[in-house]
Amino acid sequence: MRFVHCSDVHITEDYTKYSLLRLGWRRWFALVELTLGGRAKRYLRAPEVLSAIVRDAESHRVDHLILSGDLTAYALDGEFDGARKALGPLAEDPRRCSIVPGNHDVFTPGSIRADRFARHFGQLLKSDLPEYQREGPYPFVRLVGTEAAVVGLLSTRRAPLPAFPYGEIGEAQLGGLAALLRDSRLDGRAVLVTVHHAPRNRKGRPDRWNHGLRDADALLRLLPGPRFAVLHGHIHERYYHPATADRPHLFGAGSSTEAGHEGYWVIEVADGKVVGGQPHTPAL
């Protein structure tokens, strides 16, 4: 079986057409990054690149596409619309696509109150084993074929300030995941756990305290060995740490649509285990 893993696609609207009042103070800081920092330019072709990744997934004959968050630049409705359009029919089909939100998808209190992510992508949050949901729709489970299961976790929380985009899964979801892993319906399946924040950085260490996954160790303890993988984004670097006896495979997807760094993983599953992955660049 094959899975495509991409992340941090950051579909970006034209922010100059919005008033500062409409954008809100959190996005005022973002405007500096978008303009002087060059972020808007780096993601100018993001919809086109995401569509190319979807086409590649079809050509690779993958069984499922996984996107580990940050579909948007700063959680505007138009950005969610753009991501959904770029994904095409996959955005409507939970059998073929799983997505979890990133911190940029809940960037403002208004986007959280409106539950903007779920309004656009709630159709992909349905679970094949809903009895294990502990926090809204999370964790959700997708049974893919007879050899794999995709599990979606929520790690994004309302940051006190934009400079503190750390993540936390929480005891409730971790308890649901622990119970799920004991379910006989997962016997013989590789388990690909999707979460936005990184359990480990490129060097194999915990991420910065203000940016990382606060309960990373608790997550990794539940997933020992090559049967398991954690697929994440958030850190805009693409890297892979193979599984050990007491830790799962770790796939960091980087930023899949950033100019000059476009790419994604094709992850292979065989005999109920994750056997590795290969990085790919989309055919644009």
Side-chain angles (χ1 to χ4, degrees):
M1 302 187 73
R2 288 180 173 178
F3 295 79
V4 158
H5 173 214
C6 60
S7 195
D8 294 69
V9 297
H10 291 300
I11 306 299
T12 304
E13 277 219 75
D14 178 4
Y15 278 64
T16 64
K17 67 183 183 182
Y18 292 98
S19 70
L20 290 177
L21 182 62
R22 168 68 178 83
L23 290 175
W25 70 265
R26 288 175 181 257
R27 295 194 185 97
W28 298 350
F29 293 97
L31 288 174
V32 177
E33 187 177 28
L34 284 168
T35 55
L36 298 180
R39 188 182 185 98
K41 184 177 180 180
R42 295 198 302 274
Y43 289 99
L44 186 64
R45 299 181 66 195
E48 179 183 346
V49 178
L50 181 54
S51 292
I53 292 171
V54 171
R55 290 195 301 271
D56 281 7
E58 298 291 347
S59 67
H60 290 306
R61 297 183 179 180
V62 301
D63 297 275
H64 206 80
L65 183 143
I66 299 169
L67 204 169
S68 53
D70 278 1
L71 285 78
T72 66
Y74 299 106
L76 290 174
D77 264 313
E79 293 171 343
F80 283 108
D81 284 336
R84 189 164 175 168
K85 182 178 179 181
L87 286 165
L90 285 184
E92 310 300 326
D93 192 350
R95 297 168 302 173
R96 301 175 60 210
C97 184
S98 294
I99 301 176
V100 297
N103 59 292
H104 280 254
D105 303 322
V106 294
F107 193 75
T108 62
S111 65
I112 296 171
R113 286 193 302 270
D115 205 2
R116 204 163 286 160
F117 175 84
R119 183 149 49 83
H120 290 272
F121 290 98
Q123 66 277 7
L124 298 181
L125 300 179
K126 297 176 183 177
S127 180
D128 292 334
L129 302 176
E131 60 268 37
Y132 296 107
Q133 294 170 326
R134 296 293 186 271
E135 184 179 350
Y138 306 97
F140 66 77
V141 185
R142 196 86 66 244
L143 301 177
V144 183
T146 59
E147 291 190 61
V150 175
V151 177
L153 296 173
L154 175 69
S155 63
T156 56
R157 305 295 167 183
R158 179 178 173 178
L161 291 169
F164 294 85
Y166 60 82
E168 186 172 19
I169 298 165
E171 291 184 6
Q173 287 185 73
L174 289 171
L177 176 61
L180 164 67
L181 294 173
R182 295 191 293 268
D183 193 303
S184 61
R185 288 170 288 185
L186 264 63
D187 290 351
R189 292 179 182 266
V191 181
L192 284 69
V193 175
T194 308
V195 65
H196 180 62
H197 291 78
R200 295 289 184 266
N201 63 20
R202 176 184 283 278
K203 295 181 179 180
R205 301 170 184 165
D207 194 6
R208 304 187 310 274
W209 69 272
N210 65 319
H211 194 263
L213 183 63
R214 295 285 176 91
D215 43 9
D217 289 346
L219 173 64
L220 297 180
R221 282 195 296 270
L222 293 175
L223 306 167
R227 181 185 166 207
F228 303 102
V230 174
L231 282 54
H232 69 83
H234 197 49
I235 296 177
H236 286 193
E237 295 180 273
R238 194 165 296 109
Y239 55 91
Y240 166 54
H241 297 304
T244 65
D246 57 359
R247 194 198 66 203
H249 299 273
L250 300 176
F251 290 93
S255 182
S256 294
T257 62
E258 184 178 4
H261 302 280
E262 299 93 339
Y264 58 92
W265 287 102
V266 175
I267 299 171
E268 300 278 351
V269 167
D271 299 321
K273 294 181 180 179
V274 177
V275 296
Q278 291 293 326
H280 287 259
T281 301
L284 295 169

